[in-house]
Amino acid sequence: MSSPSKRREMDVMKLMMSDYTVETINDGLSEFNVEFHGPKESLYEGGVWKVRVELPDAYPFKSPSIGFVNKIFHPNVDELSGSVCLDVINQNWSPMFDLLNVFEVFLPQLLLYPNASDPLNGDAASLMMKDKKLYDQKVKEYCERYAKKENIANSTADDESEDEEDISEEEERQSSDDEIPGHADP
């Protein structure tokens, strides 16, 4: 077993033995989901997200890939893909960091101190700079709608079923519009 794979195993085990719920994908240690709670005394407090982690073969010398699975409204998180824009994970990663740093320091800092001048979500950044009160309201709205513990298990399935409901409601409205006016039901 090479040194990077021992380190990967040690870091994942350390994360599993901490307070985080870790769900491996394909029974390996290179892809897994972690249950992440919004930091206390932040707009995200009370929110629960499933965060997908992919470890490259060269981990810890190359940074992990981190992404939110369920939706979050934040200037530095892409709303569609969940990708995170965070220098310490992307450009400034060091093998001195481990997965616990990501979940105990880096992600909480990201949520506590969003950087609207380097956005992945332009709408969130713009709203944060123009109307902080409305931005705060939208963050809390997203937490209520998408970041509940009971929803994270099927967060992508929930989004799809909501979309299907929206489509079926629209189809109902269209079909009732198609009825011929002036003909009463017998």
Side-chain angles (χ1 to χ4, degrees), residues 114-135:
N115 179 2
S117 62
D118 185 22
L120 272 180
N121 181 336
D123 292 341
S126 177
L127 190 59
M128 183 181 159
M129 291 190 291
K130 290 179 181 166
D131 189 342
K132 181 76 166 92
K133 190 175 177 182
L134 192 56
Y135 167 80

PDB file of all heavy atoms in Angstrom, residues 114-135:
ATOM      1  N   PRO A 114     -19.012  34.678   3.278  1.00  0.00           N
ATOM      2  CA  PRO A 114     -19.090  34.567   1.813  1.00  0.00           C
ATOM      3  C   PRO A 114     -18.314  35.691   1.139  1.00  0.00           C
ATOM      4  O   PRO A 114     -18.223  36.794   1.670  1.00  0.00           O
ATOM      5  CB  PRO A 114     -20.587  34.683   1.525  1.00  0.00           C
ATOM      6  CG  PRO A 114     -21.209  35.214   2.757  1.00  0.00           C
ATOM      7  CD  PRO A 114     -20.292  34.963   3.896  1.00  0.00           C
ATOM      8  N   ASN A 115     -17.746  35.383  -0.021  1.00  0.00           N
ATOM      9  CA  ASN A 115     -16.961  36.360  -0.777  1.00  0.00           C
ATOM     10  C   ASN A 115     -17.700  36.684  -2.073  1.00  0.00           C
ATOM     11  O   ASN A 115     -17.583  35.966  -3.064  1.00  0.00           O
ATOM     12  CB  ASN A 115     -15.567  35.785  -1.066  1.00  0.00           C
ATOM     13  CG  ASN A 115     -14.701  36.723  -1.853  1.00  0.00           C
ATOM     14  OD1 ASN A 115     -15.093  37.845  -2.181  1.00  0.00           O
ATOM     15  ND2 ASN A 115     -13.503  36.268  -2.176  1.00  0.00           N
ATOM     16  N   ALA A 116     -18.441  37.773  -2.060  1.00  0.00           N
ATOM     17  CA  ALA A 116     -19.250  38.159  -3.219  1.00  0.00           C
ATOM     18  C   ALA A 116     -18.402  38.685  -4.376  1.00  0.00           C
ATOM     19  O   ALA A 116     -18.881  38.786  -5.498  1.00  0.00           O
ATOM     20  CB  ALA A 116     -20.282  39.214  -2.811  1.00  0.00           C
ATOM     21  N   SER A 117     -17.119  38.978  -4.127  1.00  0.00           N
ATOM     22  CA  SER A 117     -16.285  39.496  -5.211  1.00  0.00           C
ATOM     23  C   SER A 117     -15.652  38.384  -6.061  1.00  0.00           C
ATOM     24  O   SER A 117     -15.015  38.667  -7.069  1.00  0.00           O
ATOM     25  CB  SER A 117     -15.195  40.420  -4.654  1.00  0.00           C
ATOM     26  OG  SER A 117     -14.354  39.699  -3.787  1.00  0.00           O
ATOM     27  N   ASP A 118     -15.836  37.127  -5.675  1.00  0.00           N
ATOM     28  CA  ASP A 118     -15.315  35.988  -6.453  1.00  0.00           C
ATOM     29  C   ASP A 118     -16.406  34.922  -6.525  1.00  0.00           C
ATOM     30  O   ASP A 118     -16.262  33.837  -5.980  1.00  0.00           O
ATOM     31  CB  ASP A 118     -14.048  35.444  -5.778  1.00  0.00           C
ATOM     32  CG  ASP A 118     -13.376  34.352  -6.583  1.00  0.00           C
ATOM     33  OD1 ASP A 118     -13.610  34.279  -7.815  1.00  0.00           O
ATOM     34  OD2 ASP A 118     -12.622  33.556  -5.993  1.00  0.00           O
ATOM     35  N   PRO A 119     -17.525  35.232  -7.208  1.00  0.00           N
ATOM     36  CA  PRO A 119     -18.689  34.346  -7.130  1.00  0.00           C
ATOM     37  C   PRO A 119     -18.705  33.191  -8.128  1.00  0.00           C
ATOM     38  O   PRO A 119     -18.151  33.275  -9.216  1.00  0.00           O
ATOM     39  CB  PRO A 119     -19.851  35.290  -7.429  1.00  0.00           C
ATOM     40  CG  PRO A 119     -19.279  36.283  -8.365  1.00  0.00           C
ATOM     41  CD  PRO A 119     -17.840  36.467  -7.925  1.00  0.00           C
ATOM     42  N   LEU A 120     -19.359  32.116  -7.703  1.00  0.00           N
ATOM     43  CA  LEU A 120     -19.769  31.039  -8.603  1.00  0.00           C
ATOM     44  C   LEU A 120     -21.263  31.191  -8.872  1.00  0.00           C
ATOM     45  O   LEU A 120     -21.765  30.716  -9.864  1.00  0.00           O
ATOM     46  CB  LEU A 120     -19.528  29.660  -7.963  1.00  0.00           C
ATOM     47  CG  LEU A 120     -18.168  29.030  -8.162  1.00  0.00           C
ATOM     48  CD1 LEU A 120     -18.100  27.692  -7.464  1.00  0.00           C
ATOM     49  CD2 LEU A 120     -17.821  28.876  -9.617  1.00  0.00           C
ATOM     50  N   ASN A 121     -21.961  31.835  -7.937  1.00  0.00           N
ATOM     51  CA  ASN A 121     -23.385  32.110  -8.081  1.00  0.00           C
ATOM     52  C   ASN A 121     -23.541  33.639  -8.141  1.00  0.00           C
ATOM     53  O   ASN A 121     -23.584  34.311  -7.114  1.00  0.00           O
ATOM     54  CB  ASN A 121     -24.166  31.518  -6.901  1.00  0.00           C
ATOM     55  CG  ASN A 121     -25.659  31.742  -6.994  1.00  0.00           C
ATOM     56  OD1 ASN A 121     -26.122  32.675  -7.648  1.00  0.00           O
ATOM     57  ND2 ASN A 121     -26.422  30.904  -6.320  1.00  0.00           N
ATOM     58  N   GLY A 122     -23.602  34.156  -9.364  1.00  0.00           N
ATOM     59  CA  GLY A 122     -23.686  35.603  -9.573  1.00  0.00           C
ATOM     60  C   GLY A 122     -24.931  36.226  -8.976  1.00  0.00           C
ATOM     61  O   GLY A 122     -24.893  37.348  -8.473  1.00  0.00           O
ATOM     62  N   ASP A 123     -26.055  35.489  -9.009  1.00  0.00           N
ATOM     63  CA  ASP A 123     -27.303  36.016  -8.441  1.00  0.00           C
ATOM     64  C   ASP A 123     -27.163  36.220  -6.937  1.00  0.00           C
ATOM     65  O   ASP A 123     -27.581  37.243  -6.394  1.00  0.00           O
ATOM     66  CB  ASP A 123     -28.476  35.071  -8.727  1.00  0.00           C
ATOM     67  CG  ASP A 123     -28.834  35.007 -10.201  1.00  0.00           C
ATOM     68  OD1 ASP A 123     -28.448  35.932 -10.954  1.00  0.00           O
ATOM     69  OD2 ASP A 123     -29.492  34.027 -10.605  1.00  0.00           O
ATOM     70  N   ALA A 124     -26.573  35.233  -6.255  1.00  0.00           N
ATOM     71  CA  ALA A 124     -26.392  35.341  -4.805  1.00  0.00           C
ATOM     72  C   ALA A 124     -25.435  36.482  -4.473  1.00  0.00           C
ATOM     73  O   ALA A 124     -25.685  37.270  -3.553  1.00  0.00           O
ATOM     74  CB  ALA A 124     -25.879  34.022  -4.235  1.00  0.00           C
ATOM     75  N   ALA A 125     -24.343  36.585  -5.234  1.00  0.00           N
ATOM     76  CA  ALA A 125     -23.358  37.644  -4.980  1.00  0.00           C
ATOM     77  C   ALA A 125     -23.984  39.020  -5.187  1.00  0.00           C
ATOM     78  O   ALA A 125     -23.820  39.926  -4.364  1.00  0.00           O
ATOM     79  CB  ALA A 125     -22.152  37.464  -5.892  1.00  0.00           C
ATOM     80  N   SER A 126     -24.710  39.167  -6.276  1.00  0.00           N
ATOM     81  CA  SER A 126     -25.339  40.444  -6.593  1.00  0.00           C
ATOM     82  C   SER A 126     -26.351  40.835  -5.517  1.00  0.00           C
ATOM     83  O   SER A 126     -26.369  41.974  -5.038  1.00  0.00           O
ATOM     84  CB  SER A 126     -26.015  40.342  -7.959  1.00  0.00           C
ATOM     85  OG  SER A 126     -26.689  41.529  -8.267  1.00  0.00           O
ATOM     86  N   LEU A 127     -27.180  39.884  -5.124  1.00  0.00           N
ATOM     87  CA  LEU A 127     -28.190  40.158  -4.102  1.00  0.00           C
ATOM     88  C   LEU A 127     -27.530  40.502  -2.772  1.00  0.00           C
ATOM     89  O   LEU A 127     -27.969  41.423  -2.071  1.00  0.00           O
ATOM     90  CB  LEU A 127     -29.125  38.948  -3.948  1.00  0.00           C
ATOM     91  CG  LEU A 127     -30.368  39.157  -3.109  1.00  0.00           C
ATOM     92  CD1 LEU A 127     -31.244  40.272  -3.682  1.00  0.00           C
ATOM     93  CD2 LEU A 127     -31.168  37.854  -3.030  1.00  0.00           C
ATOM     94  N   MET A 128     -26.455  39.788  -2.447  1.00  0.00           N
ATOM     95  CA  MET A 128     -25.753  40.048  -1.188  1.00  0.00           C
ATOM     96  C   MET A 128     -25.207  41.475  -1.153  1.00  0.00           C
ATOM     97  O   MET A 128     -25.268  42.149  -0.130  1.00  0.00           O
ATOM     98  CB  MET A 128     -24.613  39.051  -1.010  1.00  0.00           C
ATOM     99  CG  MET A 128     -23.863  39.190   0.281  1.00  0.00           C
ATOM    100  SD  MET A 128     -22.537  37.972   0.327  1.00  0.00           S
ATOM    101  CE  MET A 128     -21.493  38.720   1.536  1.00  0.00           C
ATOM    102  N   MET A 129     -24.696  41.958  -2.289  1.00  0.00           N
ATOM    103  CA  MET A 129     -24.119  43.304  -2.330  1.00  0.00           C
ATOM    104  C   MET A 129     -25.187  44.387  -2.418  1.00  0.00           C
ATOM    105  O   MET A 129     -25.020  45.467  -1.862  1.00  0.00           O
ATOM    106  CB  MET A 129     -23.146  43.424  -3.499  1.00  0.00           C
ATOM    107  CG  MET A 129     -21.886  42.592  -3.279  1.00  0.00           C
ATOM    108  SD  MET A 129     -20.557  42.885  -4.457  1.00  0.00           S
ATOM    109  CE  MET A 129     -21.213  42.227  -5.956  1.00  0.00           C
ATOM    110  N   LYS A 130     -26.305  44.098  -3.090  1.00  0.00           N
ATOM    111  CA  LYS A 130     -27.334  45.128  -3.308  1.00  0.00           C
ATOM    112  C   LYS A 130     -28.375  45.199  -2.197  1.00  0.00           C
ATOM    113  O   LYS A 130     -28.846  46.267  -1.849  1.00  0.00           O
ATOM    114  CB  LYS A 130     -28.047  44.881  -4.640  1.00  0.00           C
ATOM    115  CG  LYS A 130     -27.173  45.146  -5.836  1.00  0.00           C
ATOM    116  CD  LYS A 130     -27.906  44.867  -7.129  1.00  0.00           C
ATOM    117  CE  LYS A 130     -26.993  45.111  -8.315  1.00  0.00           C
ATOM    118  NZ  LYS A 130     -27.518  44.559  -9.544  1.00  0.00           N
ATOM    119  N   ASP A 131     -28.777  44.035  -1.669  1.00  0.00           N
ATOM    120  CA  ASP A 131     -29.848  44.007  -0.676  1.00  0.00           C
ATOM    121  C   ASP A 131     -29.588  42.888   0.322  1.00  0.00           C
ATOM    122  O   ASP A 131     -30.105  41.779   0.190  1.00  0.00           O
ATOM    123  CB  ASP A 131     -31.195  43.807  -1.393  1.00  0.00           C
ATOM    124  CG  ASP A 131     -32.390  43.987  -0.462  1.00  0.00           C
ATOM    125  OD1 ASP A 131     -32.214  43.936   0.778  1.00  0.00           O
ATOM    126  OD2 ASP A 131     -33.501  44.164  -0.989  1.00  0.00           O
ATOM    127  N   LYS A 132     -28.762  43.167   1.328  1.00  0.00           N
ATOM    128  CA  LYS A 132     -28.335  42.152   2.296  1.00  0.00           C
ATOM    129  C   LYS A 132     -29.522  41.515   3.018  1.00  0.00           C
ATOM    130  O   LYS A 132     -29.531  40.315   3.274  1.00  0.00           O
ATOM    131  CB  LYS A 132     -27.364  42.788   3.300  1.00  0.00           C
ATOM    132  CG  LYS A 132     -26.825  41.838   4.337  1.00  0.00           C
ATOM    133  CD  LYS A 132     -25.753  40.925   3.794  1.00  0.00           C
ATOM    134  CE  LYS A 132     -24.992  40.217   4.890  1.00  0.00           C
ATOM    135  NZ  LYS A 132     -25.509  38.930   5.256  1.00  0.00           N
ATOM    136  N   LYS A 133     -30.545  42.312   3.312  1.00  0.00           N
ATOM    137  CA  LYS A 133     -31.708  41.790   4.022  1.00  0.00           C
ATOM    138  C   LYS A 133     -32.436  40.742   3.167  1.00  0.00           C
ATOM    139  O   LYS A 133     -32.808  39.674   3.656  1.00  0.00           O
ATOM    140  CB  LYS A 133     -32.650  42.935   4.392  1.00  0.00           C
ATOM    141  CG  LYS A 133     -33.765  42.545   5.319  1.00  0.00           C
ATOM    142  CD  LYS A 133     -34.579  43.756   5.745  1.00  0.00           C
ATOM    143  CE  LYS A 133     -35.736  43.337   6.618  1.00  0.00           C
ATOM    144  NZ  LYS A 133     -36.560  44.473   7.002  1.00  0.00           N
ATOM    145  N   LEU A 134     -32.624  41.035   1.891  1.00  0.00           N
ATOM    146  CA  LEU A 134     -33.275  40.100   0.977  1.00  0.00           C
ATOM    147  C   LEU A 134     -32.397  38.859   0.758  1.00  0.00           C
ATOM    148  O   LEU A 134     -32.897  37.736   0.678  1.00  0.00           O
ATOM    149  CB  LEU A 134     -33.585  40.786  -0.359  1.00  0.00           C
ATOM    150  CG  LEU A 134     -34.516  40.054  -1.323  1.00  0.00           C
ATOM    151  CD1 LEU A 134     -35.853  39.726  -0.667  1.00  0.00           C
ATOM    152  CD2 LEU A 134     -34.745  40.905  -2.569  1.00  0.00           C
ATOM    153  N   TYR A 135     -31.080  39.060   0.684  1.00  0.00           N
ATOM    154  CA  TYR A 135     -30.137  37.943   0.556  1.00  0.00           C
ATOM    155  C   TYR A 135     -30.275  37.010   1.760  1.00  0.00           C
ATOM    156  O   TYR A 135     -30.407  35.794   1.603  1.00  0.00           O
ATOM    157  CB  TYR A 135     -28.697  38.471   0.455  1.00  0.00           C
ATOM    158  CG  TYR A 135     -27.651  37.415   0.642  1.00  0.00           C
ATOM    159  CD1 TYR A 135     -27.292  36.557  -0.401  1.00  0.00           C
ATOM    160  CD2 TYR A 135     -27.014  37.243   1.869  1.00  0.00           C
ATOM    161  CE1 TYR A 135     -26.333  35.570  -0.228  1.00  0.00           C
ATOM    162  CE2 TYR A 135     -26.058  36.268   2.052  1.00  0.00           C
ATOM    163  CZ  TYR A 135     -25.717  35.427   1.011  1.00  0.00           C
ATOM    164  OH  TYR A 135     -24.774  34.443   1.197  1.00  0.00           O
TER     165      TYR A 135
END
